[in-house]
Amino acid sequence: MKVMGISGWSGSGKTTLVTRLLPVLVARGLRVSTVKNAHHEFDVDTPGKDSYEHRAAGASEVLVASARRWALMHEHREAAEPEPYLDALLARLGEADLVLVEGFKHEDHDKIEVCREGSRREPLYPGDRSVVAVASDRPLPDANRPVFNLDDTQAIADFICRHCTLAERAA
């Protein structure tokens, strides 16, 4: 399984880029999964639904399954439990040609940094060798790595396929 990160500071456009890349990569016949890092409490369940009630009642894990999909929710009952490392999460995924990882900017996997003009944060790429390319809304002549226009989804997808040595398949 090949992994490519989409990293950057909050509000830079990581989710927008991932959701634009997914249909382009899938149209090339690739099976693509995603992992998203959240730095805050989140919920994927709905109060009142059975799965939510199971979890709220104390279940450590709840697996919900139907003919169309299944989802496994793991509840950290210990407040001091550390956030899982990316490798541990990737090991839980099913087979895929490519995993797009949104976030996890401090882990050591290849990443494309989303960099926007007007950001008040310094870019990651000058000090992070795992940033192999940058997607930006401005030229970055001193980036010392490929820089793509943030809106050129096809070129970014081409780069990911080349970098990860992914062969396109008939869709």
Side-chain angles (χ1 to χ4, degrees), residues 2-3 10-11 23 27 37 43 47 55 60-61 66 104 112 134 153 157:
K2 308 290 184 162
V3 174
S10 179
N37 186 229
D43 208 334
R55 197 166 45 88
S60 295
E61 290 190 327
S66 74
F104 292 93
I112 297 171
V134 180
T153 309

Side-chain angles (χ1 to χ4, degrees), residues 64-148:
V64 183
S66 74
R68 300 278 303 157
R69 69 187 55 89
W70 67 268
L72 174 64
M73 291 173 281
H74 178 91
E75 187 73 20
H76 291 289
R77 294 285 172 200
E78 304 287 327
E81 198 164 334
E83 188 172 310
Y85 287 105
L86 180 58
D87 287 344
L89 298 171
L90 292 172
R92 293 184 171 270
L93 291 178
E95 187 177 328
D97 299 309
L98 173 66
V99 179
L100 291 178
V101 175
E102 183 181 336
F104 292 93
K105 66 180 162 270
H106 299 297
E107 296 246 6
D108 192 30
H109 58 285
D110 288 352
K111 303 172 195 78
I112 297 171
E113 181 179 359
V114 178
C115 229
R116 287 196 177 274
E117 188 165 24
S119 173
R120 295 188 171 142
R121 306 287 304 258
E122 289 297 315
L124 302 168
Y125 69 82
D128 187 345
R129 286 184 288 180
S130 68
V131 175
V132 296
V134 180
S136 185
D137 58 354
R138 68 183 190 271
L140 299 169
D142 299 329
N144 296 322
R145 57 194 36 91
V147 176
F148 299 95

